[in-house]
Amino acid sequence: MKSIPKLIRRFLLILLLSTVLLLALNIAVLVLISASQTPGASPWTTAKEAADALEKTANGYQLSNEMAQELRSESVWALFIDNHTLNTLWTSENLPDSVPVDYDASDIARLTRGYIADYPTFTGENDQGLMILGYPKDRFWKQMYPAWDYDFIAGLPRILLIVLAANAGLLLLIYIVTSSRLLRSVNPIAEGIQQLPDGQPAYMKETGVLSQLAHSINETSHALQRQKYELAKKETARANWIAGVSHDIRTPLSMVMGYASQLETSDDLPESQRQKAMVIRRQSEKIRALVSDLNLASKLEYDMQPVNLRQEKLVPLVRKVVVNFINMDIENRYPIVWDTSEATETCAISADRELLQRAISNLIQNSINHNETGCQISVSITAPQGKCHILVEDDGIGVSGEQLEKLNHAAHYMVCDTNATEQRHGLGLLLVKQIISAHQGEIIMGRSASGGFSVKLILPCQ
């Protein structure tokens, strides 16, 4: 099951990428939030700027208009304390009543790191004194006693890496624990699905989070096995029926042919009666050939006919079939033109001699059966590009385009149970297709140059 490890790797990669992206996103959001807390300068910088902006005049101290406007916009109050006397030299107009104006050293130390009357305070100095800014109570939160161990600060990068690694390991552990049960359910289901196309029975326990899917696959497998059994039973019955009919018909058919032959040669009967007996004999021979074709086609269809492949010289094999037909054509109604070359004399193929000769015989007999008034038949062998081509064609009545399309593409009624009332073509061509297929070959049907019927057999050369 290559798909399951691939699925696990994909899920794991998605988890790792999601963790990295989530971490980067959190850091970016933290940076943005931190930056938004101080849109301009920090309150310590503002206190220093306010101290520098405070000027001494003849009437006392005065803050510049720009700084005063900035402090009012932030709702910040301010006061200025002398460095030497610790007296308050200047206060802003919005100084709350709860804020004292007299301070000692301890008060200044406390407000510098913390609050005055719950207002967070920040300080900035100049040559004359100390500027104190008080922000709204809900604006800042200050740590009054910050103290960090130096070793902790020095080892902070290492600690962060350990924390990140621990978090990643914890996430991975959570993923493995939560998904292991699902993966244990997916693996047998995937194996069962792979077994269905191969026709193998599949059964899996109907437990876990995918129990409903497992139940559906079990039902599907059961239905497929039942259909497979019924189909095999049906096909076996059909094959046995064909074999039985073929066997049972031989004896009465032999008797009909024997008596017809005796009547045909009897001197006691008039010529007209002997002609009728000849017709009976010939039609009986056709029935016998048909029964033989039916039996052989059935065996090839159900792999009951052994194919004994041996290396054979193609030209002598085909020539023997052609000579037999030439010798049987006493009236010369179906002359056969034999066309080959010296280059094809050594053409060898892996073939079952009897089956391949049967295929060539069927093609020649097919031309004879469909041209009752006679025709010329041509049989040729060529060997282009490592292939052996056997071409059998005639100059008879030929076939229409629609018939040719059905011959090349429509399934025979013996191997297709749809529209079985329409007999598309006889058993002879079906046998040829089956025999050539057993030889790993190809068959092409078409029209000859003279308008008749043409069949080309393509076989691999040895």
Side-chain angles (χ1 to χ4, degrees):
M1 288 296 297
K2 297 181 179 180
S3 57
I4 298 301
K6 183 178 180 181
L7 183 64
I8 296 175
R9 288 195 301 269
R10 179 170 296 181
F11 280 156
L12 184 59
L13 180 61
I14 292 175
L15 175 65
L16 295 177
L17 289 178
S18 301
T19 303
V20 172
L21 291 176
L22 186 61
L23 179 61
L25 180 62
N26 289 335
I27 293 175
V29 171
L30 182 61
V31 170
L32 290 176
I33 293 176
S34 300
S36 66
Q37 298 301 310
T38 54
S42 70
W44 298 102
T45 305
T46 303
K48 173 61 177 172
E49 292 175 353
D52 294 337
L54 187 66
E55 298 178 354
K56 186 176 182 181
T57 64
N59 297 326
Y61 286 90
Q62 183 177 359
L63 193 64
S64 66
N65 293 332
E66 293 80 3
M67 181 55 66
Q69 179 62 31
E70 181 179 345
L71 295 181
R72 281 195 298 271
S73 65
E74 295 289 334
S75 300
V76 178
W77 55 262
L79 58 84
F80 185 72
I81 299 176
D82 184 79
N83 277 337
H84 302 288
T85 64
L86 299 182
N87 294 328
T88 301
L89 302 178
W90 173 86
T91 63
S92 63
E93 297 177 355
N94 60 343
L95 182 70
D97 295 337
S98 60
V99 177
V101 293
D102 296 324
Y103 297 92
D104 55 22
S106 62
D107 294 334
I108 293 175
R110 187 166 50 253
L111 69 86
T112 299
R113 73 176 181 223
Y115 299 83
I116 298 179
D118 294 333
Y119 291 96
T121 55
F122 301 88
T123 59
E125 75 281 351
N126 62 16
D127 294 339
Q128 289 78 32
L130 181 69
M131 175 66 74
I132 302 172
L133 299 185
Y135 282 79
K137 295 179 180 181
D138 58 354
R139 178 64 188 277
F140 291 105
W141 173 78
K142 296 180 68 178
Q143 287 183 298
M144 298 183 63
Y145 305 98
W148 303 95
D149 185 87
Y150 182 80
D151 293 335
F152 172 76
I153 298 299
L156 188 60
R158 179 174 57 85
I159 294 174
L160 289 177
L161 289 177
I162 293 175
V163 170
L164 290 177
N167 289 336
L170 181 61
L171 287 175
L172 181 60
L173 179 62
I174 293 174
Y175 167 78
I176 293 175
V177 171
T178 55
S179 61
S180 59
R181 186 177 180 184
L182 176 62
L183 293 176
R184 284 197 301 268
S185 301
V186 168
N187 193 42
I189 287 177
E191 291 179 353
I193 292 175
Q194 280 193 333
Q195 290 174 355
L196 291 179
D198 298 334
Q200 301 178 11
Y203 177 77
M204 54 205 65
K205 295 182 179 179
E206 299 176 9
T207 58
V209 294
L210 299 177
S211 59
Q212 188 63 36
L213 182 57
H215 175 73
S216 299
I217 293 177
N218 289 337
E219 290 293 323
T220 302
S221 175
H222 178 68
L224 291 176
Q225 291 301 313
R226 185 171 60 251
Q227 292 177 1
K228 181 180 178 181
Y229 171 75
E230 294 295 335
L231 182 61
K233 183 178 178 182
K234 176 182 176 182
E235 297 299 334
T236 302
R238 184 167 71 167
N240 291 336
W241 181 83
I242 291 174
V245 170
S246 301
H247 179 270
D248 293 342
I249 205 173
R250 287 195 184 107
T251 300
L253 186 61
S254 298
M255 294 179 63
V256 171
M257 293 178 61
Y259 286 132
S261 179
Q262 292 180 10
L263 294 175
E264 181 184 1
T265 58
S266 175
D267 295 333
D268 298 333
L269 294 177
E271 181 64 24
S272 60
Q273 299 297 326
R274 289 201 300 269
Q275 290 293 330
K276 292 178 181 180
M278 180 187 66
V279 172
I280 294 175
R281 179 183 58 79
R282 289 182 177 179
Q283 294 302 318
S284 298
E285 290 176 351
K286 289 184 178 181
I287 294 176
R288 182 177 62 182
L290 178 61
V291 171
S292 177
D293 287 349
L294 179 63
N295 195 30
L296 180 57
S298 176
K299 290 181 178 180
L300 289 172
E301 179 66 25
Y302 300 114
D303 296 326
M304 298 168 62
Q305 172 67 34
V307 181
N308 301 316
L309 297 178
R310 294 184 301 178
Q311 184 168 325
E312 299 281 355
K313 292 292 185 63
L314 182 60
V315 172
L317 186 150
V318 179
R319 183 191 294 124
K320 182 178 180 180
V321 178
V322 172
V323 170
N324 289 338
F325 273 94
I326 292 176
N327 294 334
M328 289 188 300
D329 187 22
I330 300 176
E331 300 178 359
N332 199 28
R333 294 175 58 195
Y334 301 97
I336 300 179
V337 177
W338 170 251
D339 184 15
T340 185
S341 63
E342 294 183 1
T344 60
E345 290 290 337
T346 58
C347 183
I349 63 172
S350 180
D352 186 311
R353 170 182 287 270
E354 293 184 0
L355 286 180
L356 191 56
Q357 287 181 336
R358 181 67 173 273
I360 306 300
S361 299
N362 280 10
L363 292 179
I364 297 176
Q365 189 63 47
N366 185 72
S367 295
I368 295 174
N369 293 340
H370 290 83
N371 296 279
E372 296 181 357
T373 59
C375 68
Q376 179 175 288
I377 303 172
S378 174
V379 180
S380 61
I381 298 177
T382 56
Q385 301 178 352
K387 298 286 186 179
C388 293
H389 291 189
I390 307 171
L391 180 63
V392 179
E393 56 183 2
D394 59 58
D395 60 358
I397 60 175
V399 292
S400 64
E402 181 181 357
Q403 291 173 326
L404 190 59
E405 179 71 16
K406 289 182 179 180
L407 288 174
N408 280 310
H409 301 99
H412 193 273
Y413 61 88
M414 268 197 65
V415 295
C416 178
D417 57 2
T418 60
N419 198 13
T421 57
E422 179 188 353
Q423 183 170 340
R424 299 183 178 104
H425 54 82
L427 284 172
L429 292 178
L430 172 63
L431 269 178
V432 175
K433 287 184 177 181
Q434 291 175 323
I435 293 173
I436 298 304
S437 176
H439 287 76
Q440 308 300 318
E442 180 184 358
I443 179 171
I444 301 175
M445 303 181 192
R447 293 192 184 92
S448 64
S450 58
F453 187 57
S454 170
V455 179
K456 179 182 290 187
L457 309 180
I458 303 176
L459 298 170
C461 290
Q462 286 289 318

